């Protein structure tokens, strides 16, 4: 097991990465405030991992409440969130009960938001079971639900007390989900870690075949990158926005086609291609660098071209982006491979062109 720390003073927390961690109640116990926890999971993950996590916690003497949500991005909404509150109240959970998110980013984001709101804030922990959640969404304290007009529009910053990334859980993950997770892994290379990008180019086939050592290394290097950014800029006043490479375009795809149709990782892969295309139009990266990015996404089995969605619809949806300031669109682009920047200077005509070039019949 490897342990990293998100160093946020008295809110610092460990990220443990390793095998068979869902059985390790001992890692959670010292961080609990009372002998009761509520596990939030979904109908797909529950049959796979809930019994093991619950048994290990019960063996350690804890009372365990289980809350099982429907599975899917389309359920990341008020109604599902409210069903968590209903159960917490019915089962007499308290402010010092700890919520444990067991699942992918959807479960993690909703559980974190529920924890931020319930009785004005309760502790929570992340037990991520998708690659995407292990490398990104479980770390950093962004929690949210979707609104019909925009992705992750309603939420809060609320840091977990612990992240337990059990790499064995990835063995049951469908291939398409593994590939979607790789999009966020590649993101770290593109925005701030050229050496990692080169490592990914060399080791992608091992990751696709789920070779455990390579997967663990990719998870640790991703989490180290994320932790450094979060520590430097927890509330996204500056540098943290770089973690949103491709997200302004990608969120528009997710909202535009309907939540759940495109996986988050797929949508942001296309978003990153649009950002790279635009960076090339602005003369920041050259054609060879652009081709290199495209080659990596293609090798990872990720889409490099978006759905049928009008350019005007993209622009309309992108206006809801959380980086918009004073009505002005701010985008994360590539100054070079391994170095992203936030800019509001990209001309709209170039933005339109980049979207069109990465759209069907573009
Ligand atoms: P997800 O949570 O929908 O999980 C993907 C699918 O895999 C689901 O069907 C899930 O039930 C299933 N699954 C989960 N673990 C499994 C396992 N071990 N074996 C088999 N099936 C398993 O999707 P995701 O890609 O994990 O997360 C995407 C979400 O994360 C989006 O809502 C996105 O907005 C959010 N996100 C948040 C942050 C953040 O910082 N908070 C960062 C990135 C993404
Ligand atoms: N996934 C973006 C962030 O955590 O800031």
């Amino acid at each position: 097991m490897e342990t990293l720390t998100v160093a946020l003073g008295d809110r610092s927390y460990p990220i443990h990465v390793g095998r068979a961690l869902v059985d390790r109640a001992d890692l959670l116990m010292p961080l609990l405030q009372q002998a009761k926890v509520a596990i939030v999971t979904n109908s797909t993950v529950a049959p796979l991992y809930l019994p093991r996590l619950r048994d290990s916690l019960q063996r350690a003497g804890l009372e365990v409440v289980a809350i099982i949500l429907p599975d899917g991005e389309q359920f990341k909404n008020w109604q599902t969130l409210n069903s968590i509150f209903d159960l917490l109240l019915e089962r007499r959970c308290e402010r010092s009960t700890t919520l444990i998110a067991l699942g992918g980013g959807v479960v993690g984001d909703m559980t974190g938001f529920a924890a931020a709101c319930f009785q004005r804030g309760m502790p929570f922990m992340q037990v991520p079971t998708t690659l995407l959640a292990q490398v990104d969404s479980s770390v950093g304290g962004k929690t949210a639900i979707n609104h019909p007009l925009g992705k992750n529009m309603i939420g809060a910053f609320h840091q977990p007390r612990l992240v337990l990334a059990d790499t064995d859980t990835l063995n049951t993950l469908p291939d398409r989900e593994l590939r979607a997770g790789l999009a966020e892994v590649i993101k770290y290379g593109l925005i701030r870690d050229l050496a990692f990008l080169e490592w990914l180019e060399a080791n992608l086939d091992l990751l696709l075949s789920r070779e455990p050592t390579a997967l663990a290394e990719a998870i640790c290097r991703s989490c180290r990158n994320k932790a450094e950014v979060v520590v430097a800029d927890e509330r996204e006043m500056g540098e943290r926005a770089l973690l949103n490479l491709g997200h302004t375009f990608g969120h528009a795809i997710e909202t535009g086609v309907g939540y759940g149709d495109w996986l988050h990782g797929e949508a942001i892969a296309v978003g990153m291609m649009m950002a790279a295309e635009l960076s090339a139009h602005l003369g920041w990266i050259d054609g060879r660098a652009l081709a290199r990015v495209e080659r990596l996404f293609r090798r990872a089995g990720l889409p490099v071209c978006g759905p049928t969605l009008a350019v005007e619809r993209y622009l309309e949806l992108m206006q809801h982006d959380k980086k918009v300031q004073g009505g002005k669109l701010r985008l994360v682009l590539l100054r070079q491979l391994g170095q992203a920047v936030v800019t509001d200077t990209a001309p709209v005509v170039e933005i339109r062109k980049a979207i069109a070039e990465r759209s069907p019949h573009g």
Side-chain angles (χ1 to χ4, degrees):
M1 180 176 91
E2 183 155 346
T3 301
L4 315 172
T5 303
V6 183
L8 290 169
D10 58 5
R11 291 175 300 115
S12 295
Y13 55 92
I15 305 169
H16 298 301
V17 180
R19 308 191 63 174
L21 299 188
V22 289
D23 303 314
R24 295 286 305 275
D26 59 302
L27 296 170
L28 285 80
M29 294 297 287
L31 301 168
L32 299 177
Q33 290 176 10
Q34 61 167 225
K36 182 168 180 173
V37 296
I39 302 173
V40 182
T41 185
N42 72 21
S43 51
T44 303
V45 179
L48 295 169
Y49 302 110
L50 178 61
R52 276 172 60 194
L53 181 60
R54 185 173 44 203
D55 289 356
S56 120
L57 293 166
Q58 284 174 338
R59 273 198 306 275
L62 298 178
E63 182 187 346
V64 182
V65 173
I67 301 176
I68 301 176
L69 308 177
D71 182 10
E73 183 76 40
Q74 66 275 30
F75 297 108
K76 191 178 165 184
N77 57 25
W78 272 118
Q79 211 181 349
T80 313
L81 185 72
N82 213 35
S83 73
I84 301 178
F85 297 139
D86 290 345
L87 268 153
L88 290 176
L89 288 165
E90 280 166 24
R91 300 295 301 272
R92 302 203 180 288
C93 293
E94 300 170 356
R95 187 188 283 169
S96 52
T97 306
T98 293
L99 272 193
I100 302 174
L102 172 69
V106 170
V107 164
D109 278 14
M110 270 195 298
T111 306
F113 190 34
C117 300
F118 187 74
Q119 299 194 1
R120 301 199 182 90
M122 70 197 295
F124 90 110
M125 295 176 176
Q126 293 269 15
V127 184
T129 61
T130 63
L131 180 61
L132 185 140
Q134 295 189 354
V135 300
D136 191 354
S137 63
S138 65
V139 176
K142 276 191 182 176
T143 75
I145 55 170
N146 299 328
H147 186 280
L149 292 180
K151 262 286 286 185
N152 294 338
M153 278 295 133
I154 321 293
F157 285 98
H158 189 48
Q159 296 292 343
R161 301 285 169 105
L162 168 79
V163 179
L164 213 59
D166 182 339
T167 52
D168 286 344
T169 61
L170 302 181
N171 291 332
T172 53
L173 197 62
D175 270 339
R176 187 177 167 202
E177 299 291 350
L178 185 85
R179 291 168 191 275
L182 285 172
E184 300 279 17
V185 175
I186 293 169
K187 177 187 78 179
Y188 295 112
L190 290 174
I191 62 172
R192 71 191 303 273
D193 192 344
L194 187 58
F196 187 34
L197 191 70
E198 286 162 358
W199 182 89
L200 287 169
E201 288 173 325
N203 290 280
L204 192 68
D205 294 339
L206 289 177
L207 295 174
L208 287 168
S209 66
R210 304 180 195 226
E211 199 283 314
T213 314
L215 269 179
E217 176 155 3
I219 294 164
C220 287
R221 287 176 84 157
S222 298
C223 286
R224 204 167 292 125
N225 270 296
K226 177 128 192 199
E228 282 173 12
V229 174
V230 169
V231 166
D233 179 24
E234 185 185 359
R235 295 262 165 168
E236 200 170 308
M237 309 307 281
E239 185 185 348
R240 186 163 180 173
L242 301 181
L243 295 174
N244 275 317
L245 177 69
H247 283 56
T248 307
F249 301 103
H251 283 168
I253 293 174
E254 289 183 270
T255 310
V257 299
Y259 299 123
D261 273 18
W262 275 58
L263 300 184
H264 175 71
E266 294 169 344
I268 67 127
V270 171
M272 285 190 268
M273 278 313 306
M274 288 175 174
E277 194 81 57
L278 183 51
S279 307
H281 289 185
L282 299 177
W284 293 357
I285 61 170
D286 61 20
R288 276 181 49 199
L290 180 63
R292 195 171 152 190
V293 177
E294 176 160 357
R295 199 174 318 122
L296 192 56
F297 283 129
R298 280 190 188 280
R299 279 182 62 205
L302 285 159
V304 292
C305 182
T308 306
L309 192 67
V311 173
E312 289 315 309
R313 182 75 178 126
Y314 271 95
L315 293 174
E316 187 189 337
L317 289 163
M318 284 162 67
Q319 280 304 324
H320 290 297
D321 189 75
K322 291 188 281 309
K323 289 185 295 306
V324 168
Q325 260 179 19
K328 212 160 185 205
L329 195 58
R330 293 158 71 240
L331 291 171
V332 183
L333 299 181
L334 295 174
R335 177 63 74 185
Q336 56 186 45
L337 292 192
Q339 191 196 347
V341 289
V342 181
T343 179
D344 63 3
T345 59
V348 177
V349 58
E350 295 295 342
I351 300 176
R352 280 181 209 277
K353 243 201 278 176
I355 296 170
E357 275 168 10
R358 290 284 155 190
S359 294
H361 322 297

